[in-house]
Amino acid sequence: MRIRTLTLSWALLSGATSSYAQAGNLDVLMQQVFPSTEVTYIGYESIEREDIPASADVDRKYLVVDFRFKGSLPSTEKLQAKVHQVCMTMFKDQQLMRSLSDSGYDMVSVAFDRQSQFDCL
């Protein structure tokens, strides 16, 4: 898994009706991933890199799901396990994955702090 700095621009999800259904499903799903005493789901950000041409062969639009630990960040191994847990929860929801794909998302990333994110690939 690679870490990237969160220095990206904000973009809104397209389509108000589908965005509401998608956002509601995503919020409910992510709030159920971890016990609330350990990690808190903050929300998500839709990121679209305007500086990358639409025809480019790199990730242009992706979703960042954001969590915060109650205490300090755990060890690298435990952190990777948490990322895996989030990614697998999302991947298992075929309707959510189809909706994200249909909305043009190339990737999903997980963040546990404001400095870095982990890609679900």
Side-chain angles (χ1 to χ4, degrees):
M1 296 185 177
R2 57 190 165 140
I3 300 174
R4 289 195 269 181
T5 305
L6 286 173
T7 57
L8 305 170
S9 62
W10 290 69
L12 297 175
L13 290 170
S14 61
T17 304
S18 64
S19 295
Y20 176 75
Q22 178 180 308
N25 292 342
L26 181 61
D27 285 338
V28 169
L29 186 64
M30 291 296 98
Q31 288 173 356
Q32 297 171 357
V33 176
F34 300 114
S36 60
T37 57
E38 183 181 6
V39 180
T40 301
Y41 170 67
I42 302 297
Y44 67 90
E45 297 176 40
S46 176
I47 308 295
E48 187 165 359
R49 298 277 312 267
E50 297 290 334
D51 59 321
I52 298 175
S55 60
D57 208 17
V58 296
D59 299 327
R60 177 177 158 83
K61 183 176 178 182
Y62 62 99
L63 196 70
V64 179
V65 290
D66 201 9
F67 295 86
R68 292 295 180 273
F69 282 96
K70 298 287 184 186
S72 60
L73 287 176
S75 67
T76 301
E77 294 80 19
K78 288 183 180 181
L79 187 59
Q80 287 180 352
K82 299 295 183 196
V83 171
H84 179 75
Q85 189 174 353
V86 171
C87 295
M88 292 309 296
T89 298
M90 293 183 73
F91 291 154
K92 288 178 182 177
D93 189 327
Q94 293 179 356
Q95 183 179 6
L96 174 63
M97 289 292 99
R98 193 171 307 115
S99 177
L100 290 172
S101 181
D102 290 348
S103 296
Y105 289 96
D106 299 315
M107 182 179 54
V108 175
S109 295
V110 181
F112 290 103
D113 60 30
R114 293 189 180 273
Q115 287 77 39
S116 58
Q117 66 190 41
F118 300 85
D119 299 338
C120 294
L121 294 173

